[in-house]
Structure formats: C-alpha cells, structure tokens
Amino acid sequence: EQITYRLLSFDECKTLHGSDHCEILDQQGKIARVLITSVKSWKTRLDEIEVHYKFGLYEYGTIRIVRDVADNDLLIAIVESAS
C-alpha cells in the first residue's frame, strides 16, 4: 500500500483543534500519528501559531509555525491512500 503525503499550509494548521489527529515527521524522519491537544495563536503575532500535541502515553511536544517560513515542514496530511 502506498500513501501520499503533503505539507499542511499555515491556514490549514490554524483550523486544527484539540482532539484532532494529525501526522508529523518525528526526529528520525518517520511518520508518526499524534493527537493535537491545542493550537495557540496571538492577537499581536498574527503570523505565528503553536500546535501542541501528544504522542504515545507520556510524550508531548510543540510545533511552532510561522507564515511563509521554509522550516514549516513538520505537519503533514494524507492526500491519498492507494492499495
């Protein structure tokens, strides 16, 4: 089975909510399914958000996303699943 992925845009990341599931690239470069716990944004920093997530039973993390920055390559979405 082949799965195709793409990066989430800044605007798509802003629409995430707590209890959503998403895939991320972990530190080993592998795809990991995580639970989004919260998405934080600021009135004074409109081009920045933080996505907080839970992985497994005890691991938590934060991904800081800034609009139009090339480093925003951690949150990904499944485009299609082909058998």
Side-chain angles (χ1 to χ4, degrees):
E1 180 176 326
Q2 182 179 3
I3 299 174
T4 305
Y5 291 91
R6 67 172 176 79
L7 299 176
L8 287 178
S9 70
F10 180 84
D11 294 323
E12 289 173 321
C13 292
K14 284 181 74 170
T15 63
L16 292 172
H17 297 286
S19 77
D20 286 345
H21 285 86
C22 194
E23 286 74 28
I24 65 168
L25 294 176
D26 65 12
Q27 293 177 347
Q28 290 80 31
K30 296 181 181 178
I31 295 169
R33 185 165 175 84
V34 298
L35 173 68
I36 304 298
T37 56
S38 65
V39 178
K40 185 175 182 179
S41 60
W42 295 268
K43 290 182 181 180
T44 56
R45 294 184 276 172
L46 298 176
D47 291 338
E48 181 179 336
I49 59 173
E50 283 184 356
V51 178
H52 301 259
Y53 65 90
K54 180 180 180 184
F55 177 70
L57 293 175
Y58 305 108
E59 296 180 52
Y60 292 87
T62 302
I63 299 173
R64 187 172 159 266
I65 300 170
V66 180
R67 185 187 303 272
D68 299 328
V69 174
D71 292 346
N72 297 339
D73 59 356
L74 295 175
L75 285 168
I76 54 177
I78 296 176
V79 175
E80 60 186 40
S81 178
S83 300

